[in-house]
């Protein structure tokens, strides 16, 4: 028989860029500066790890006023979250920028959690944009309340294992109240039977139930981080 056809080539990597325009300290317009992300190709494990991030560096005349936008394959986007920082000490190379504004576009904040149904309307499900602390992540058949898929953390070995999603910073407003709901199904590694956790267990208890934590991070240089409880299981005997 003839040999099987070769597999289709991998699609080219997306081009992620930062475009900067503005004026220098004297008000003269600068030529558009385009910075392209030249990170090496990442595996799926890299892309789904919760600490995956990208840094882009740009050198601009001191004292100027600038605007910047992110593009993906030429389309203006907002990358969920972004922060700016000087690489030099304040005023170390002359006056700091008069302004540096990122184009955040108009946010769509109807659902703070994106793809909470694991791609219910996608063949095979989807994990985008979910990430993982540890234990793996995949979309599997069988969701809650009649949905087709759910997200599985299939090798969980402790309370610190689990799934992660970076929230769109445009949609998280100080002083607002947010309600998060999740349905969790716990099964054993050996036979897949339902596993009953201890809803009153502390984190040191191997049988303690999963919980949800909000992690805040301020700044990209020596960031201040806070971990606050956002939800706990209230029942463990039901599927």
């Amino acid at each position: 028989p003839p040999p099987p056809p070769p597999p289709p080539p991998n699609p080219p990597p997306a081009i992620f860029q930062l475009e900067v325009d503005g004026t220098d300290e004297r008000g003269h317009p600068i030529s558009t500066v385009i910075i392209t992300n030249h990170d090496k190709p990442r595996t799926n494990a890299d892309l789904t790890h919760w600490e995956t991030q990208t840094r882009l560096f740009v050198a601009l005349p001191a004292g100027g006023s600038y605007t910047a936008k992110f593009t993906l394959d030429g389309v203006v986007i907002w990358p969920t979250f972004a922060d700016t920082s000087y690489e030099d000490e304040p005023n170390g190379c002359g006056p700091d920028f008069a302004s540096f504004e990122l184009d955040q576009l108009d946010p769509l904040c109807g659902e703070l959690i994106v793809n909470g149904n694991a791609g219910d309307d996608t063949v095979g499900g989807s994990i985008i944009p979910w990430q993982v602390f540890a234990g793996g992540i995949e979309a599997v058949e069988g969701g809650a309340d009649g949905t087709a898929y759910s997200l599985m953390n299939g090798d969980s070995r402790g309370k610190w294992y689990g799934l992660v999603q970076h929230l769109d910073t445009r949609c998280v407003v100080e002083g607002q109240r947010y309600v998060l709901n999740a349905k969790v199904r716990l099964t054993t590694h050996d036979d897949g039977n339902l596993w009953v956790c201890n809803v009153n267990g502390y984190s040191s208890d191997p049988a303690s139930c999963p919980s949800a934590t909000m992690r805040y991070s301020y700044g990209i240089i020596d960031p201040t981080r806070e971990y606050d409880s956002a939800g706990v299981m209230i029942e463990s005997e039901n599927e």
Side-chain angles (χ1 to χ4, degrees), residues 152-235:
M152 184 173 73
N153 185 229
D155 192 26
S156 180
R157 300 178 183 272
K159 196 177 181 70
W160 58 94
Y161 283 55
L163 309 180
V164 180
Q165 185 172 135
H166 291 287
L167 304 182
D168 191 328
T169 52
R170 303 170 300 176
C171 301
V172 181
V173 181
E174 185 176 2
Q176 292 289 330
R177 179 186 177 94
Y178 301 92
V179 178
L180 306 178
N181 296 294
K183 293 190 175 182
V184 181
R185 187 172 190 263
L186 304 176
T187 59
T188 61
H189 285 281
D190 298 332
D191 52 24
N193 289 332
L194 292 179
W195 181 70
V196 178
C197 62
N198 179 9
V199 294
N200 297 315
Y202 293 101
S203 59
S204 58
D205 180 359
S208 62
C209 294
S211 62
T213 301
M214 289 283 289
R215 176 181 182 268
Y216 305 90
S217 182
Y218 307 98
I220 57 177
I221 304 297
D222 297 326
T224 299
R225 296 190 175 98
E226 301 175 8
Y227 294 81
D228 292 334
S229 176
V232 295
M233 287 185 64
I234 58 176
E235 293 181 292

Side-chain angles (χ1 to χ4, degrees), residues 15-21 32-37 54-60 67-72 77-79 82-84 100-103:
I15 300 175
F16 179 60
Q17 293 178 316
L18 176 70
E19 298 184 12
V20 183
D21 285 292
T32 301
V33 179
I34 299 178
I35 306 298
T36 301
N37 174 31
T54 295
R55 296 191 180 194
L56 301 174
F57 297 86
V58 57
L60 299 167
T67 59
K69 61 186 178 183
F70 296 99
T71 66
L72 189 66
I77 65 163
W78 172 250
D83 197 5
T84 58
F100 190 97
E101 301 292 336
L102 292 173
D103 185 353

Side-chain angles (χ1 to χ4, degrees), residues 21-182:
D21 285 292
T23 58
D24 61 21
E25 186 179 17
R26 295 174 294 175
H28 298 158
I30 65 167
S31 299
T32 301
V33 179
I34 299 178
I35 306 298
T36 301
N37 174 31
H38 291 292
D39 278 357
K40 64 181 180 180
R42 291 170 168 167
T43 65
N44 188 62
D46 293 330
L47 292 172
T48 56
H49 191 268
W50 69 283
E51 288 185 315
T52 296
Q53 58 184 327
T54 295
R55 296 191 180 194
L56 301 174
F57 297 86
V58 57
L60 299 167
S65 300
Y66 306 104
T67 59
K69 61 186 178 183
F70 296 99
T71 66
L72 189 66
D73 288 338
V75 178
V76 180
I77 65 163
W78 172 250
T80 306
F81 64 95
D83 197 5
T84 58
S85 175
Y86 285 103
E87 188 176 18
D88 300 302
E89 293 294 329
N91 297 302
C93 294
D96 289 340
F97 300 152
S99 64
F100 190 97
E101 301 292 336
L102 292 173
D103 185 353
Q104 298 191 28
L105 307 181
D106 293 326
L108 299 175
C109 301
E111 292 287 342
L112 189 61
I113 302 296
V114 179
N115 190 25
N117 60 15
D120 191 50
D121 56 353
T122 303
V123 176
S126 171
I127 64 172
I128 298 172
W130 288 93
Q131 296 175 300
V132 64
F133 270 107
I137 178 175
E138 59 181 304
V140 296
E141 292 185 353
D145 297 332
T147 58
Y149 300 100
S150 59
L151 298 165
M152 184 173 73
N153 185 229
D155 192 26
S156 180
R157 300 178 183 272
K159 196 177 181 70
W160 58 94
Y161 283 55
L163 309 180
V164 180
Q165 185 172 135
H166 291 287
L167 304 182
D168 191 328
T169 52
R170 303 170 300 176
C171 301
V172 181
V173 181
E174 185 176 2
Q176 292 289 330
R177 179 186 177 94
Y178 301 92
V179 178
L180 306 178
N181 296 294

